[in-house]
Amino acid sequence: MATYDDTNIFAKILRGEIPCKKVYEDDWSLAFHDINPQAPQHILVIPKGKYVSIDDFSAKASADEIAGLIRAVGNVARQLGLDAPGYRILANIGLDGGQEVPHLHFHLFGGKKLGPMLRRD
Ligand code: 5GP
């Protein structure tokens, strides 16, 4: 399991060292706009705890942290009015998953019909 790197960009956002366009925050989670949106709505929902990925989080996070993050995803979607039309969440894990930032994040995509789940090539 990868060790957490405190210098990753989302750790800096959580510490307030670099700005983000915040859409939601609670005791467990922070959500903000992706800097390079891939859909009309593209939000990143992250835990405040230091977890590299779902692998790390599912093994080590407390039940409160897990519940907090999952509730935050739903709260963000409802806050943005995406619950009725629908949306997609996605988490990349590790090399094959294409994860670039080593702090767990759920991508939340919405605002249009999103098409196939995976690129077909
Ligand atoms: P991954 O490939 O790790 O699943 O996704 C990382 C995401 O973080 C990408 O969609 C990328 O656009 C986003 N991102 C990278 N750096 C920043 C940043 O400094 N601010 C914000 N808001 N998003 C970022």
Side-chain angles (χ1 to χ4, degrees):
M1 196 177 288
T3 49
Y4 188 80
D5 172 8
D6 262 316
T7 67
N8 80 76
I9 200 87
F10 295 167
K12 291 179 182 174
I13 286 175
L14 281 168
R15 292 196 295 267
E17 292 167 9
I18 63 166
C20 70
K21 282 173 65 184
K22 182 164 81 174
V23 296
Y24 176 90
E25 183 171 13
D26 62 25
D27 287 349
W28 306 108
S29 313
L30 177 70
F32 50 90
H33 290 274
D34 195 290
I35 206 167
N36 182 24
Q38 305 296 309
Q41 295 280 11
H42 183 176
I43 309 298
L44 300 170
V45 188
I46 70 173
K48 289 188 170 176
K50 299 178 179 184
Y51 298 101
V52 177
S53 72
I54 276 286
D55 181 48
D56 197 13
F57 190 68
S58 62
K60 295 188 199 150
S62 69
D64 281 349
E65 287 177 298
I66 293 170
L69 182 61
I70 297 298
R71 287 203 192 282
V73 171
N75 288 341
V76 169
R78 284 188 291 276
Q79 182 180 308
L80 296 174
L82 295 172
D83 50 319
Y87 58 98
R88 178 173 293 159
I89 57 172
L90 177 149
N92 295 318
I93 295 106
L95 208 56
D96 277 7
Q99 182 177 5
E100 289 172 6
V101 179
H103 181 111
L104 169 61
H105 48 284
F106 286 118
H107 296 260
L108 195 160
F109 302 104
K112 68 168 189 176
K113 290 205 187 318
L114 294 164
M117 190 165 61
L118 289 176
R119 191 176 65 208
R120 294 175 178 144
D121 53 14

